[in-house]
Amino acid sequence: MSSGKSISFSDQSTLSSGPVEHIHHLQNIVIIGASVAGHTLTDELMHKLPETHRIILIDALDFSYWPLGSLRASVRPGWEKKIFRPFTQETVFPKDSRHRVVPGTRVVKLRKDAVVLDKPFEGSRVVPFFKAVLATGSSQASPMRVQNGASQADAESILIQMQSEIAVATRVVIIGGGPVGIEMAGEIRSQHPNTGITVIHDGPRILERFVSSAPDLNNMFDNTTLSQAADQHYVAPAANPKLSAALTKLLNDHHVEIITNERAVPSTDLPNGWDGVAGPQDGIKSIRLRSGRTVVADYVFISVGNRFNVRLVEAVDKGALISGMIRVDEFLRVRSTNIGSILEGGYYAIGDCCSTPGWKTMQGAKADGEGVAPNILAEVHNLPVRKYKRPVMHGMLLPMGPEYGRGYMTLPLIGDAHLPEFMVKKVKSGTLFDPDYFLARFNGEDKVEPFDGWGSVKPKQRPKDYVPDPVEMEKKRYIDTSLLVRALQRKYSFGDKDHVWNGKKDKTPYYQYHAA
């Protein structure tokens, strides 16, 4: 992968401050972040870019992590092996690809036409680009995200430790009744039917819109302190009230206590009072609520705290931030209130970190990755970019362990369609989208097979003459993601065999569409 002479880390200060030189004849599309949004964009572009351009996919981790399976992995032994996959040149790109994976590498500075890395790539820490895409996502405490500087072994160890701690807990209190808190309650109840579980939510009902608070995750490896939370000003969209009611009934039926319109407060003035720290407690602790009521716990899980990773932008132009997110326009291009910003013209932003309206979910990140690809290609070919809007069709499926769950889909013409439990179970509860969306991202020379045991996941070598067909890949993606829609079509008799797009029947296959 490397060209040019070897450079020691001690020599890097001169590289980062020197002139930006094109050390490769190809023009780079730099993608910062290889989770859902960044990896989706990579898959969209890799077979469509002309030979004059290549992708540079950079990620701070040297492995891939699947957050959608993280809660189950923190409760159910064996699942800690299922949410990691190899992140290498060979698993992401075909053999002899001009595109490059740069794993285990951080971008430390943004420039107008280049990014600066913490270690050399192809002989330099400075990587020039034609366009750069910020897909830096968000940070949360363990287990939802891997913490700064953690290796795969570290992350697995934390999950195994959580499994052991939760297994011996007798009273678990979950602070936050959003999707993460509700799903965690379901996972614990499924694995530990006799453990007492209480969910405390600062809203009139679970999933009701709330302002997220984010703990400072700097150098934080295991415990999260509630008092470290800082207002992010991001307000999650309101969930369908019927979903809140259905989940409340399901949790109550499984003996999970839900306390709404309350907030937990550190209570060190009480005998055996809670000090605000998450995780296992030293015995049974009393937790005071805002009303003065107290609850007890020997394990506390804090589900609030989703901080957007925008420090790179903040360091060069605070005018490019809005409500704690990277400000983007209707084309997903970075915009700033400061005239002459170095970020305008060269940078796009997608996924959790950007200001695209809607839930900060896998669906949104995937849609952004798919939606920005046509504009990158348009700029490559010197064509006008097109406005982007997230698709009308989206859903919220919340599993309660492998066996239960509730959810709904928002569909064109119909609106919200609530899904029967068997459908939620079939679509998400059992696998948490691991084979359908996590494994499907890896289209490289070394195929990553579905996990079928408790051992390590090892890449399986594809035939040497393997060449992915981009049209077939997009057809497969369409088929995989439309199974649920077709089932709903049969149930509600809409759309017949035609694709429904913005409320109109259209016989054009979905995979031929780009951002409208």
Side-chain angles (χ1 to χ4, degrees):
M1 184 186 303
S2 175
S3 63
K5 68 176 183 177
S6 175
I7 301 172
S8 68
F9 191 81
S10 60
D11 296 325
Q12 298 313 303
S13 60
T14 57
L15 287 173
S16 63
S17 59
V20 175
E21 299 182 60
H22 290 262
I23 61 174
H24 202 287
H25 69 281
L26 296 173
Q27 294 197 68
N28 297 325
I29 307 297
V30 171
I31 301 174
I32 306 170
S35 192
V36 176
H39 209 146
T40 297
L41 174 59
T42 297
D43 285 346
E44 292 290 320
L45 291 180
M46 74 164 101
H47 299 294
K48 299 174 185 175
L49 286 171
E51 294 294 326
T52 53
H53 293 70
R54 67 169 178 170
I55 297 165
I56 306 294
L57 180 60
I58 305 169
D59 198 89
L61 299 178
D62 59 4
F63 55 91
S64 290
Y65 185 73
W66 188 232
L68 269 70
S70 62
L71 298 178
R72 186 166 298 171
S74 70
V75 176
R76 188 173 291 264
W79 260 84
E80 74 279 355
K81 296 290 186 182
K82 293 188 176 186
I83 62 174
F84 298 93
R85 295 294 188 274
F87 177 60
T88 66
Q89 178 74 20
E90 292 73 24
T91 58
V92 175
F93 294 121
K95 184 179 180 181
D96 300 324
S97 173
R98 67 189 183 280
H99 308 302
R100 288 291 178 265
V101 167
V102 189
T105 302
R106 294 182 180 278
V107 174
V108 295
K109 187 175 183 180
L110 305 179
R111 293 185 177 180
K112 185 174 181 59
D113 56 1
V115 298
V116 181
L117 309 180
D118 67 349
K119 60 184 70 171
F121 166 71
E122 294 183 336
S124 176
R125 286 178 57 206
V126 178
V127 180
F129 61 74
F130 171 73
K131 296 295 174 184
V133 183
L134 299 164
T136 49
S138 58
S139 295
Q140 289 178 284
S142 294
M144 287 79 76
R145 295 291 190 276
V146 175
Q147 303 308 294
N148 291 337
S151 66
Q152 180 173 334
D154 293 332
E156 286 190 24
S157 177
I158 288 173
L159 293 170
I160 293 171
Q161 180 179 345
M162 289 187 69
Q163 294 167 9
S164 300
E165 293 167 347
I166 292 172
V168 299
T170 60
R171 292 290 308 175
V172 174
V173 165
I174 297 172
I175 298 175
V180 171
I182 296 306
E183 190 169 332
M184 187 63 167
E187 293 295 344
I188 296 174
R189 171 55 71 238
S190 174
Q191 185 69 11
H192 304 292
N194 297 320
T195 300
I197 305 172
T198 299
V199 177
I200 301 170
H201 184 58
D202 189 12
R205 58 176 178 262
I206 58 173
L207 303 185
E208 180 61 87
R209 67 173 58 202
F210 59 97
V211 178
S212 67
S213 298
D216 182 2
L217 301 180
N218 282 337
N219 303 316
M220 192 179 301
F221 209 75
D222 45 8
N223 290 338
T224 300
T225 304
L226 190 67
S227 61
Q228 293 171 312
D231 187 6
Q232 277 287 106
H233 307 293
Y234 165 69
V235 179
N240 188 295
K242 290 184 179 179
L243 178 61
S244 297
L247 285 166
T248 297
K249 183 179 186 305
L250 179 63
L251 289 168
N252 288 338
D253 288 346
H254 287 80
H255 308 290
V256 175
E257 181 185 18
I258 299 173
I259 302 174
T260 56
N261 289 317
E262 284 283 20
R263 177 176 292 183
V265 180
S267 320
T268 53
D269 58 318
L270 294 177
N272 295 317
W274 178 55
D275 60 4
V277 175
Q281 307 297 305
D282 182 17
I284 297 293
K285 298 294 183 181
S286 296
I287 302 175
R288 178 187 290 123
L289 305 184
R290 182 170 49 196
S291 65
R293 175 183 173 183
T294 61
V295 296
V296 296
D298 55 4
Y299 192 95
V300 177
F301 181 82
I302 300 177
S303 69
V304 298
N306 187 22
R307 186 172 65 184
F308 311 116
N309 294 327
V310 299
R311 290 178 180 175
L312 287 171
V313 170
E314 186 178 26
V316 295
D317 184 3
K318 292 183 179 180
L321 299 179
I322 180 170
S323 299
M325 297 169 284
I326 301 171
R327 186 192 303 267
V328 295
D329 61 14
E330 64 269 34
F331 307 102
L332 292 173
R333 299 176 301 195
V334 175
R335 284 290 178 256
S336 174
T337 56
N338 295 322
I339 298 174
S341 171
I342 67 168
L343 301 176
E344 291 200 355
Y347 287 88
Y348 285 81
I350 57 177
D352 282 9
C353 68
C354 82
S355 60
T356 307
W359 286 95
K360 300 298 182 182
T361 63
M362 179 202 72
Q363 296 171 79
K366 188 172 185 293
D368 286 1
E370 294 170 341
V372 77
N375 285 345
I376 300 292
L377 293 169
E379 297 223 43
V380 167
H381 294 289
N382 199 27
L383 297 172
V385 295
R386 303 168 67 183
K387 291 183 178 180
Y388 164 75
K389 185 178 181 180
R390 283 187 175 176
V392 173
M393 188 180 73
H394 68 277
M396 177 173 284
L397 282 67
L398 287 176
M400 297 286 102
E403 299 299 324
Y404 302 98
R406 297 290 184 269
Y408 70 91
M409 293 286 292
T410 300
L411 302 167
L413 297 179
I414 292 180
D416 291 348
H418 288 264
L419 307 179
E421 186 169 76
F422 81 87
M423 190 175 290
V424 177
K425 177 182 176 181
K426 182 174 180 59
V427 172
K428 184 178 181 181
S429 295
T431 65
L432 300 176
F433 294 141
D434 185 294
D436 298 317
Y437 291 101
F438 190 27
L439 265 64
R441 296 200 321 231
F442 297 93
N443 295 293
E445 175 186 359
D446 289 353
K447 181 173 175 58
V448 179
E449 297 287 356
F451 188 90
D452 58 0
W454 299 125
S456 299
V457 178
K458 297 183 182 297
K460 180 179 179 181
Q461 189 75 19
R462 280 178 169 165
K464 292 184 178 180
D465 58 352
Y466 170 76
V467 177
D469 184 330
V471 174
E472 290 302 317
M473 287 171 59
E474 292 196 37
K475 284 182 179 178
K476 182 179 184 302
R477 185 180 300 119
Y478 163 67
I479 292 170
D480 289 344
T481 57
S482 65
L483 291 174
L484 179 59
V485 177
R486 282 186 278 167
L488 289 170
Q489 285 177 336
R490 290 193 295 270
K491 180 176 177 63
Y492 293 101
S493 300
F494 75 92
D496 300 320
K497 295 182 180 179
D498 300 332
H499 177 67
V500 177
W501 183 259
N502 288 340
K504 299 179 181 178
K505 291 182 180 180
D506 192 334
K507 295 182 182 294
T508 306
Y510 179 79
Y511 59 82
Q512 292 184 11
Y513 280 99
H514 297 303

